[in-house]
Amino acid sequence: MNRNKRVAAFTLLATFTYFISSLWLTMSNTDVLALNNINLIADIVKTPGAAGKNAPTVVGAPQSGHYSVQSGADTSKLSATDGTAREHPDKVANSVTLSAVAPENKNFDNYRQSKALIGFNKDTAKPALPALMHKLVDLKNGKHTKVRIAWFGDSMIEGDLLTKTFRKRMQQFFGGYGVGFVPATSITAPYRNTVVHQWKGEWKEENFKSTDPKNLLYLSGHTFFTGNGQLIMTDKTVQDSMQVLEKCLLCGATPCGTTDVTVNGRVRQYRTPKKINRLVLDSGRTHFVDIGVRDDKLPVYGVSMEPESGVVVDNFSFRGIT
């Protein structure tokens, strides 16, 4: 008997069952889980209430054009009703207001644990999308500015998968170059072709999945410590050897407020008073940097290789994160 037919039959039966369940949950607007249910047919069926009481709406002043942002289970739209908004994006960005009602009966306690990266109960009333569009328009028009985009994910973006293509396309259209953020150490470093990433010495890592983390973590969910460590990186995304590339060490605060870092064989002293310090190690045309850290009290987050102006896409991957 051909057992492949059993696989096909099981797949069709499971898909049909899931389709019917999803259709029923969508039409009945029933919440079975603590959070919103997954809607298999969200692209073809409008979820009841998607643009209703639970949907935040951003509206601009009529005299400066009209932008609207509608976000729900199946919508995420941005539209301009006239040419004024495109001609004067600063007016739109400065005139938008936000109206939102907190979702009802949504149990977010699961995300308020001690090791959580983000406080989901905190938010601001200032919409981010119009400001982001305004900065991208400025870049396209030749303004000397920088836009950082952080991509958070699990193993699907490890080794710069997906983010490599997204970064390349954004930088080709809006300007910029450089690989962006690279953690001090990474299990996928040998497979990443956007940067040559090596390290030497003993590196101690803490992350938000550690049993008992004792130190503050960076946005990546990691923090590294070393007393004899070395980081060697070469950016492989920059094609033009004459382009200036900033090589920065991202680190935390030290008890004395300063630390010594060896940069390409030369020892330099840097101030580290803040929880997040961006130490510009080199801003020349070389795309290589050799960093030595001899301070085991310095929280090291990683290295950023980026342009002076343009789009920077940081890859924040964490294997196994849900």
Side-chain angles (χ1 to χ4, degrees):
M1 180 178 179
N2 187 357
R3 297 182 180 272
N4 291 334
K5 294 183 178 179
R6 295 184 179 181
V7 176
F10 175 79
T11 302
L12 291 174
L13 178 62
T15 303
F16 178 76
T17 303
Y18 183 49
F19 179 83
I20 294 299
S21 301
S22 178
L23 183 64
W24 177 77
L25 290 172
T26 301
M27 296 303 182
S28 61
N29 197 25
T30 302
D31 284 339
V32 177
L33 303 177
L35 302 178
N36 288 334
N37 300 294
I38 298 174
N39 184 5
L40 185 67
I41 55 174
D43 290 337
I44 59 176
V45 174
K46 184 175 181 180
T47 304
K53 62 180 181 179
N54 292 341
T57 303
V58 181
V59 180
Q63 64 271 19
S64 60
H66 174 202
Y67 275 82
S68 63
V69 177
Q70 298 176 327
S71 60
D74 61 347
T75 61
S76 179
K77 302 177 180 179
L78 178 64
S79 60
T81 57
D82 56 38
T84 309
R86 289 184 292 272
E87 295 174 2
H88 304 287
D90 55 328
K91 293 183 179 180
V92 178
N94 294 332
S95 62
V96 293
T97 56
L98 177 66
S99 174
V101 179
E104 298 177 358
N105 301 324
K106 302 300 181 184
N107 182 14
F108 284 95
D109 291 336
N110 295 333
Y111 293 92
R112 295 175 181 169
Q113 306 305 318
S114 60
K115 298 179 182 179
L117 285 177
I118 300 174
F120 282 81
N121 59 326
K122 298 179 181 178
D123 202 352
T124 64
K126 184 177 181 181
L129 188 57
L132 173 62
M133 292 182 59
H134 173 65
K135 292 184 177 181
L136 289 175
V137 170
D138 286 344
L139 272 178
K140 190 65 176 176
N141 292 335
K143 185 176 180 179
H144 190 86
T145 185
K146 187 179 293 187
V147 176
R148 304 198 73 97
I149 300 175
W151 188 318
F152 293 87
D154 56 6
S155 57
M156 293 298 293
I157 63 169
E158 275 188 338
D160 233 1
L161 296 175
L162 300 180
T163 47
K164 174 180 67 174
T165 303
F166 174 74
R167 180 189 301 112
K168 181 179 179 180
R169 297 301 176 88
M170 290 292 290
Q171 290 176 343
Q172 284 177 338
F173 190 80
F174 293 104
Y177 45 86
V179 70
F181 174 78
V182 181
T185 69
S186 172
I187 56 178
T188 60
Y191 312 105
R192 188 169 181 174
N193 58 18
T194 52
V195 62
V196 177
H197 180 192
Q198 299 174 311
W199 59 91
K200 299 178 181 179
E202 182 180 355
W203 289 84
K204 176 186 175 183
E205 175 190 347
E206 289 189 9
N207 59 64
F208 79 99
K209 286 190 174 183
S210 298
T211 304
D212 186 22
K214 299 180 177 61
N215 297 279
L216 296 176
L217 304 176
Y218 188 55
L219 293 171
S220 61
H222 300 264
T223 295
F224 303 88
F225 295 88
T226 182
N228 61 348
Q230 185 178 4
L231 297 175
I232 306 171
M233 298 189 187
T234 303
D235 192 302
K236 305 296 290 185
T237 66
V238 184
Q239 303 299 323
D240 187 354
S241 60
M242 298 302 292
Q243 289 176 321
V244 175
L245 190 68
E246 291 184 344
K247 280 76 69 178
C248 310
L249 180 66
L250 302 177
C251 59
T254 51
C256 61
T258 62
T259 189
D260 291 337
V261 179
T262 303
V263 183
N264 298 330
R266 180 181 177 184
V267 180
R268 302 177 184 174
Q269 188 177 77
Y270 294 89
R271 295 184 66 253
T272 54
K274 303 177 182 178
K275 294 180 180 179
I276 299 179
N277 301 282
R278 179 178 179 269
L279 312 181
V280 180
L281 307 178
D282 180 75
S283 57
R285 293 185 175 89
T286 176
H287 304 153
F288 163 87
V289 65
D290 186 335
I291 308 169
V293 180
R294 302 292 185 267
D295 187 349
D296 60 2
K297 303 298 182 182
L298 176 68
V300 178
Y301 304 138
V303 176
S304 181
M305 308 181 79
E306 59 192 65
E308 294 178 332
S309 175
V311 175
V312 182
V313 178
D314 295 325
N315 179 302
F316 291 124
S317 61
F318 198 110
R319 179 173 295 186
I321 191 174
T322 57

